[in-house]
Amino acid sequence: MKPNDLALAAHAIEAGELVVVPTQRWYMLCCDASNPDACARIFTTKRRPPDKSLLFVAQSPEAVRQRFHVSKEAEFLAAAFWPGDLALLLPWRDPAEGERHQAVGAPEALVTVAPGTLGELADLTAVPIAATSANVSGTEGTAPSITLEEVLNFVASTRADLPIVVDGGACPIANHLTIIRCAAGDTEIVREGVVHPRAVAAVLGWAGRDQTAAG
């Protein structure tokens, strides 16, 4: 296995394979979000609890609007931080579609429009992308991979079938996506990460309010 380019990674995802690509935060393990078998292999490979949803990587904010209910505050956040290191928990427009994409969450999904290599991969791939950090989960797991060497150690330790790994060098940020739940009349920070709560508060006009439980 050797590093390959994004076009090969896109074709591999469409064929039901798992691939790894770099982001500014860390390397991400990706597959076709609409392929239950591929998603199941991600959960198995990284020993991820089945109730912890994968990330849904959309091509654009418009693609998000087509699939999900986007509240007024979610629109403000998308305009300010997408493409970027922010994920929104959004309700599916069609509950049946949510059921077909349970790996990324139903009745709400964890959604982002990503910058850099992951965003380019989403643009190149004809199927929706599910993603998560490339590491073993849990208290006895490993930290998310921030170098190609760490990715290869992850592959060796899990015996993962990964035909394509895209080398992006060292990932400089090594931090989580910020996660915000957005539903009509109910917006709250679920997890702090790269996008600082003060930046979220500034965009949403939350000055003087509890930023982790504002609605």
Side-chain angles (χ1 to χ4, degrees):
M1 180 181 61
K2 64 180 182 179
N4 287 278
D5 65 21
L6 281 180
L8 291 176
H11 289 312
I13 287 175
E14 292 165 0
E17 303 286 355
L18 310 187
V19 306
V20 172
V21 299
T23 69
Q24 288 252 82
R25 297 176 302 103
W26 36 55
Y27 283 81
M28 300 291 283
L29 180 61
C30 305
C31 75
D32 175 0
S34 62
N35 185 325
D37 290 337
C39 291
R41 292 203 305 277
I42 284 188
F43 282 98
T44 300
T45 296
K46 66 173 287 166
R47 302 169 206 164
R48 186 176 178 87
D51 60 343
K52 289 190 67 175
S53 301
L54 305 178
L55 178 68
F56 185 97
V57 184
Q59 294 94 337
S60 66
E62 179 56 35
V64 174
R65 294 185 197 101
Q66 291 173 4
R67 291 178 182 264
F68 301 97
H69 291 291
V70 181
S71 68
K72 181 179 178 181
E73 290 193 326
E75 289 283 8
F76 289 151
L77 293 166
F81 301 120
W82 279 355
D85 297 308
L86 175 78
L88 301 178
L89 279 163
L90 299 173
W92 290 92
R93 287 190 174 277
D94 180 358
E97 186 174 16
E99 290 300 314
R100 292 194 297 270
H101 295 82
Q102 287 194 20
V104 295
E108 60 184 17
L110 185 63
V111 184
T112 195
V113 177
T117 304
L118 184 56
E120 293 172 23
L121 180 64
D123 285 336
L124 287 172
T125 308
V127 295
I129 291 177
T132 183
S133 56
N135 65 297
V136 174
S137 298
T139 56
E140 298 181 0
T142 55
S145 300
I146 63 168
T147 66
L148 180 63
E149 180 180 6
E150 290 177 353
V151 173
L152 298 181
N153 288 339
F154 163 68
V155 173
S157 68
T158 60
R159 298 182 180 178
D161 183 9
L162 287 170
I164 306 241
V165 173
V166 178
D167 183 6
C171 306
I173 296 178
N175 196 1
H176 294 282
L177 289 168
T178 296
I179 298 177
I180 301 178
R181 175 175 282 108
C182 292
D186 183 17
T187 301
E188 63 176 332
I189 298 175
V190 175
R191 185 183 72 191
E192 295 185 13
V194 175
V195 179
H196 197 278
R198 289 179 59 196
V200 173
V203 168
L204 297 181
W206 283 359
R209 299 170 68 182
D210 180 356
Q211 297 165 16
T212 60

